[in-house]
Amino acid sequence: MATPLRSNRDFRLLWLSGLFAVLGGQMSALALPLLVLKMTGSAVQAGAVGTVSVCALLVTMLPGGVMADRVERRRLMRLCDAGSLAAVTALTIAVWYGHAPMVLVLLVATSGAVLSSVYGPAAFGLMRAVVPPDQMGTATARLQARTSTVKMVGPLVGGGLFGIHEALPFAAQFLGLLLSTVCVALVRTRSEARSRAGSVFSRRELTAGLAFLWQLPYLRTVLLVFGLGMNFAFGALTFTALAVFSENGASGLGGGFVLTCVSAGSLAGALIAPRIAPDRHARALIVATCWACVLTAAVLAWLSSALLAGLLCAICMCLSTVASIGFLSTLLIVTPEDRIGRVQSAAGFLSSMVQPFGPLAGGALLTLLGSRIAFGAIGCVLAVSAAVVTLAPSVRAGAATAPPTGEPEPKPEPKSAQEPEPEPAGTSRPAPDSAGPGAH
């Protein structure tokens, strides 16, 4: 009989490691642009921090997955942590002494994104070795609940610390990374890399995860429709609602309420997921999410109520989170352990690449066509996505339980073993949440 998650020592350590690291990351994510804004007075330079970070993450996400399949994953996580601690230490000292050049700020933002693109797949691969398949849905939900809670609390704490002294949020991130490092160092499970040699940056290696996803029709369709289409359209929907109910910037109360409801919906979905076995009902949850978003867009096109908009967006986000947890659990189960890094990175890349463009599209529609037609146009995109996932035979058939034939890579026996003694010292980069396609 499998050990319950609450008694699974290594899973608890991974959960705590992510808690400390993500909390620190959320505080610095707010503090970095505030620091630049205070130093330069330029909103453009402050916004450049986020842009550089997102671009670096997207560019290095696929190579990061390859690295996660090449190096023993626990060791790789510790190497990433060492780099993160070095960068945050340099920034904390510079800010404390009142001299943090823009170059250093951008370097820290870039290095954090690059290390995250390696750390994330490694952490998921290690979790695959720590958690039995029948507990993957519950484990993924607990990771998502942790991340959703931290995302609600972290920016508030970071803003408060920044108000006391500019260096405090970064000092707190250093402490969080240090605690996360200790937790990773105490994990006993090893998740060995494959033995095959070759260039990390070869086209075959970089596209191996995408190729695996493409050969499974269920994964391919869900990622293209639910991951790309729905992420793009829901991003446009929430931004349009934010602008409309903030009265185009005249009041932030209505828009703030909508965003708070979205965050609350994400947390509620993560808390509900373990009770309904989302990995067993992933298709039904994906379909329900898509049609709920269509209904929300239709209602908002005719009714102007921030309260109603917030509640409807919260329901959509709740369903989306549960569906994403179910999909990610299925993905982790059907992917061979020696390819989990590349496949998880490929799925994250496909789900993330369109997210920055959703708000841009929503703003353009709102400016050119007005709120009613903008919501209607977004609703049409959502309806097409909903119809595809409802009717597509590949989605109705579900995921395969084995990797597809014809995979271009060899299949070495995956290795993972419990070792009695933990290795000394360690490090930790912000652990990934469990967001999959449709998690916004």
Side-chain angles (χ1 to χ4, degrees):
M1 181 178 294
T3 303
L5 282 180
R6 63 177 178 274
S7 303
N8 188 327
R9 174 185 178 276
D10 282 353
F11 176 75
R12 294 201 313 268
L13 287 170
L14 287 176
W15 191 93
L16 285 172
S17 170
L19 175 68
F20 295 132
V22 174
L23 180 59
Q26 286 295 307
M27 288 189 287
S28 67
L30 175 69
L32 271 178
L34 289 179
L35 176 66
V36 174
L37 189 61
K38 185 173 182 178
M39 290 189 309
T40 67
S42 171
V44 174
Q45 293 189 49
V49 175
T51 301
V52 167
S53 179
V54 170
C55 290
L57 183 64
L58 290 175
V59 168
T60 58
M61 193 173 286
L62 294 180
V66 178
M67 289 297 299
D69 287 337
R70 290 294 190 90
V71 182
E72 197 280 312
R73 286 153 183 158
R74 176 178 169 275
R75 183 181 300 117
L76 186 61
M77 291 166 67
R78 296 171 63 191
L79 291 173
C80 290
D81 288 343
S84 297
L85 279 169
V88 172
T89 299
L91 182 62
T92 303
I93 294 173
V95 175
W96 184 265
Y97 286 102
H99 182 66
M102 187 66 180
V103 173
L104 177 60
V105 173
L106 292 177
L107 180 62
V108 170
T110 302
S111 63
V114 171
L115 291 169
S116 291
S117 69
V118 179
Y119 185 96
F124 273 114
L126 184 57
M127 190 181 78
R128 165 73 180 268
V130 168
V131 178
D134 60 341
Q135 297 178 353
M136 194 64 71
T138 302
T140 308
R142 292 187 181 179
L143 295 180
Q144 181 64 43
R146 175 202 67 194
T147 303
S148 297
T149 303
V150 169
K151 285 184 176 180
M152 295 178 67
V153 175
L156 180 63
V157 176
L161 291 175
F162 188 87
I164 299 172
H165 192 283
E166 294 89 337
L168 287 181
F170 307 109
Q173 184 185 18
F174 172 85
L175 178 61
L177 284 169
L178 187 61
L179 292 173
S180 179
T181 292
V182 174
C183 291
V184 173
L186 293 175
V187 172
R188 294 173 179 166
T189 302
R190 304 294 186 270
S191 182
E192 294 292 344
R194 62 196 183 97
S195 58
R196 180 185 172 90
S199 173
V200 172
F201 298 106
S202 68
R203 185 177 67 176
R204 182 178 182 178
E205 289 288 336
L206 294 175
T207 60
L210 295 171
F212 180 88
L213 294 170
W214 188 259
Q215 292 182 50
L216 282 176
Y218 171 79
L219 300 181
R220 178 178 69 228
T221 304
V222 171
L223 279 168
L224 290 178
V225 179
F226 193 55
L228 282 170
M230 288 296 298
N231 269 356
F232 173 81
F234 191 77
L237 177 68
T238 52
F239 181 83
T240 304
L242 170 65
V244 168
F245 296 111
S246 295
E247 300 175 10
N248 294 321
S251 171
L253 185 60
F257 176 76
V258 172
L259 293 184
T260 298
C261 287
V262 170
S263 298
S266 176
L267 177 59
L271 295 175
I272 292 171
R275 302 178 181 274
I276 62 174
D279 49 321
R280 300 177 186 174
H281 309 290
R283 176 186 174 271
L285 290 165
I286 290 171
V287 171
T289 300
C290 292
W291 287 112
C293 291
V294 174
L295 177 62
T296 297
V299 171
L300 294 183
W302 295 98
L303 298 178
S304 299
S305 167
L307 176 62
L308 182 61
L311 293 177
L312 288 175
C313 287
I315 293 172
C316 291
M317 195 63 211
C318 179
L319 289 171
S320 175
T321 300
V322 180
S324 297
I325 290 170
F327 177 82
L328 181 59
S329 301
T330 301
L331 179 69
L332 292 174
I333 291 171
V334 303
T335 303
E337 187 175 351
D338 63 301
R339 299 186 198 121
I340 193 65
R342 287 165 291 169
V343 172
Q344 192 274 332
S345 288
F349 177 78
L350 290 175
S351 299
S352 302
M353 62 185 299
V354 297
Q355 288 187 15
F357 302 105
L360 180 63
L365 289 172
L366 184 60
T367 301
L368 296 174
L369 305 175
S371 62
R372 179 168 294 179
I373 299 180
F375 281 124
I378 294 169
C380 290
V381 176
L382 291 166
V384 171
S385 299
V388 172
V389 297
T390 302
L391 302 175
S394 57
V395 179
R396 297 173 68 179
T401 56
T405 59
E407 180 70 14
E409 305 223 4
K411 302 178 183 178
E413 188 70 22
K415 303 175 186 177
S416 63
Q418 297 289 335
E419 297 185 6
E421 295 295 332
E423 295 181 6
T427 44
S428 171
R429 219 359 247 161
D433 58 31
S434 59
H440 315 277

